[in-house]
Amino acid sequence: MARAAVKAQAAEPLDGAERILQILSESARLFATTGYDGTSMRDIAEACGISKSLLYHHFKDKDEIYARITLGSTRELYQFVFDRLPEGARPIERIRGFMVATGEYFQRYRWAWVASTTAFWNDPEQRRQKERMMWRDRYENLLRGLIQAAIEAGELRPLDVPLAGRLILSSLNWMHRWYKPEKGMSAPQIADAYFDMILNGLKVEG
Amino acid sequence: MARAAVKAQAAEPLDGAERILQILSESARLFATTGYDGTSMRDIAEACGISKSLLYHHFKDKDEIYARITLGSTRELYQFVFDRLPEGARPIERIRGFMVATGEYFQRYRWAWVASTTAFWNDPEQRRQKERMMWRDRYENLLRGLIQAAIEAGELRPLDVPLAGRLILSSLNWMHRWYKPEKGMSAPQIADAYFDMILNGLKVEG
């Protein structure tokens, strides 16, 4: 069903950034299921519903795709979430935006997410690993900044900011271990429900 | 520092269950760092500070240790946490007990935990995999039962129980990705702080 959704998307023209995310996502899925060697540029183009020449327009070879997956998914996640933070909204609404956008990214590019989160991509290249960590830190610091702003605005109680950030990220990061796209809530809905639980607490009001 | 703590523990006599957990934990660490083939029964005995004959008293060979790690850590976790739930306490205090005991288990047997959580132990034996899932489910259902009881006791608001359970487990499960034993709070302290955040919520008291 996740496949079907991706295919349906591919029928409409995608803009450059969306197309690249689709290629990375499909490639990550193919690498994870049939292996790097077992996956050809033709397979990737077919999975995306695009021509080989369009694929080569974006990537010169499989290794470039691989490199972008291992580096990219963290960088793209940062950009994706950053672009979706509601401007001018109250800090806690921006925290909700951060969580829901992460859920959305997870839902849409789940394979790339899984690939970059599991040990599967134990990238031997130190430089790429470092760059990925750098984007990971920027993503985490974005959230910490929002929490800090919410405390200063009097919306959140004084907290251990890094720990509160880790609590939120844990809830989102662990989704790939249990989430089944074909049943129940969507990933953005889950993120929103987590936001409510974490913000308001589980205990009865009063 | 975690090493040192384990060594220090080994100086005192451990009871059977503690000794077995120590052996599993040290073995998991050795397998993870020097590989299964690169680890001998002698290495394991030395790491535990015990004689080889005591080691053989508990395990007939390396494969039996391996099997217990891949199966055991989930079963032991269940038992460890179950034994530490405060009897007769209010349901939410039992939820705190569940979280703190998980943090304690994580702290003490971190290597076994990491080994069983990462793809590193992709157990080819179906039966063991199934048994592990069964213990994992029992552990998760234990928590869900506590949440349900707390709702019925009027301590927690009406909630999506499985989702609330997942939020709590996510916070604990993700620790192995960032936790550094040598600095900051201990794992049980982190679990306790998470309990406070999740129970009371991040927002200012209304």
Side-chain angles (χ1 to χ4, degrees):
Chain A
M1 226 182 103
R3 283 302 307 281
V6 171
K7 291 264 188 197
Q9 255 176 33
E12 301 161 38
L14 300 177
D15 72 23
E18 292 278 319
R19 176 68 71 202
I20 285 168
L21 283 168
Q22 184 210 20
I23 293 169
L24 296 176
S25 183
E26 285 297 298
S27 303
R29 186 182 60 75
L30 288 168
F31 293 162
T33 49
T34 56
Y36 180 83
D37 291 332
T39 303
S40 66
M41 286 293 268
R42 176 185 300 275
D43 297 332
I44 294 168
E46 270 176 20
C48 297
I50 59 175
S51 66
K52 266 178 76 179
S53 70
L54 182 55
L55 178 59
Y56 279 108
H57 169 72
H58 289 296
F59 294 100
K60 76 173 198 291
D61 56 26
K62 237 174 23 171
D63 190 61
E64 198 187 346
I65 297 178
Y66 172 87
R68 277 296 290 279
I69 290 170
T70 60
L71 165 61
S73 48
T74 310
R75 182 171 56 191
E76 314 288 358
L77 168 65
Y78 173 82
Q79 202 56 52
F80 185 94
V81 170
F82 186 83
D83 290 347
R84 278 158 186 79
L85 292 183
E87 266 184 79
R90 291 184 306 149
I92 55 167
E93 281 309 313
R94 285 166 64 80
I95 293 173
R96 182 207 293 270
F98 180 99
M99 292 181 71
V100 172
T102 299
E104 223 171 287
Y105 184 88
F106 172 85
Q107 175 123 332
R108 289 166 75 169
Y109 310 109
R110 199 161 63 91
W111 283 103
W113 179 295
V114 171
S116 79
T117 326
T118 60
F120 180 68
W121 301 104
N122 230 328
D123 199 325
E125 242 201 71
Q126 281 282 325
R127 189 185 53 74
R128 286 203 294 236
Q129 192 90 6
K130 270 199 185 143
E131 209 171 331
R132 190 155 57 245
M133 300 287 274
M134 191 266 285
W135 284 103
R136 181 82 221 170
D137 287 348
R138 280 184 76 160
Y139 172 75
E140 187 156 6
N141 286 332
L142 176 61
L143 175 60
R144 290 182 184 180
L146 298 176
I147 295 170
Q148 188 60 49
I151 293 171
E152 283 162 18
E155 295 183 320
L156 297 187
R157 55 188 171 112
L159 290 159
D160 180 334
V161 173
L163 199 64
R166 276 178 179 137
L167 173 60
I168 289 173
L169 292 182
S170 301
S171 71
L172 302 171
N173 285 335
W174 196 251
M175 275 199 298
H176 80 274
R177 292 296 289 265
W178 63 270
Y179 174 73
K180 297 265 180 302
E182 59 280 354
K183 60 179 183 184
M185 302 161 87
S186 71
Q189 285 170 335
I190 293 166
D192 202 28
Y194 278 157
F195 170 79
D196 167 60
M197 289 181 182
I198 294 173
L199 187 84
N200 297 309
L202 304 187
K203 75 155 189 254
V204 290
E205 307 282 336
Chain B
M1 223 180 110
R3 280 304 304 283
V6 169
K7 291 264 186 194
Q9 256 175 35
E12 303 159 36
L14 299 179
D15 72 21
E18 292 279 320
R19 177 66 73 203
I20 284 168
L21 282 170
Q22 185 210 21
I23 294 169
L24 296 177
S25 184
E26 285 297 299
S27 304
R29 187 183 59 75
L30 288 168
F31 293 163
T33 48
T34 56
Y36 180 83
D37 291 330
T39 304
S40 66
M41 286 294 267
R42 175 185 299 277
D43 297 332
I44 295 168
E46 270 177 20
C48 296
I50 60 176
S51 66
K52 264 178 78 179
S53 70
L54 182 55
L55 178 58
Y56 278 108
H57 169 72
H58 289 296
F59 293 99
K60 75 173 199 291
D61 55 24
K62 235 173 26 171
D63 190 61
E64 199 187 346
I65 298 179
Y66 172 87
R68 277 296 290 282
I69 291 171
T70 59
L71 166 60
S73 48
T74 311
R75 182 171 57 194
E76 315 289 357
L77 167 66
Y78 173 83
Q79 203 57 53
F80 185 95
V81 170
F82 185 84
D83 290 347
R84 278 157 186 79
L85 293 183
E87 265 185 80
R90 291 184 305 149
I92 56 168
E93 281 308 314
R94 286 166 63 79
I95 293 173
R96 182 207 294 268
F98 180 99
M99 292 181 72
V100 172
T102 299
E104 225 171 284
Y105 184 88
F106 171 85
Q107 177 122 330
R108 288 165 76 170
Y109 310 109
R110 199 160 61 91
W111 282 103
W113 178 297
V114 171
S116 81
T117 325
T118 59
F120 180 68
W121 302 103
N122 230 330
D123 198 326
E125 242 200 71
Q126 280 283 324
R127 190 185 53 72
R128 286 203 295 236
Q129 192 90 7
K130 267 195 186 146
E131 211 171 329
R132 189 157 57 246
M133 300 287 275
M134 192 265 284
W135 284 103
R136 181 81 222 174
D137 287 348
R138 280 184 76 160
Y139 171 75
E140 186 156 6
N141 286 331
L142 177 60
L143 176 60
R144 289 182 186 183
L146 299 177
I147 295 171
Q148 187 61 48
I151 293 171
E152 282 161 20
E155 294 182 321
L156 296 187
R157 56 189 169 111
L159 289 161
D160 179 334
V161 173
L163 199 65
R166 278 179 178 136
L167 173 60
I168 289 172
L169 292 181
S170 301
S171 71
L172 302 170
N173 286 333
W174 196 250
M175 273 198 300
H176 80 274
R177 293 296 290 265
W178 61 269
Y179 175 72
K180 297 264 179 303
E182 58 279 355
K183 59 178 185 182
M185 303 161 87
S186 71
Q189 284 170 335
I190 292 166
D192 203 27
Y194 278 157
F195 170 79
D196 166 60
M197 287 181 183
I198 294 174
L199 187 84
N200 298 309
L202 304 188
K203 73 156 189 252
V204 288
E205 307 281 335

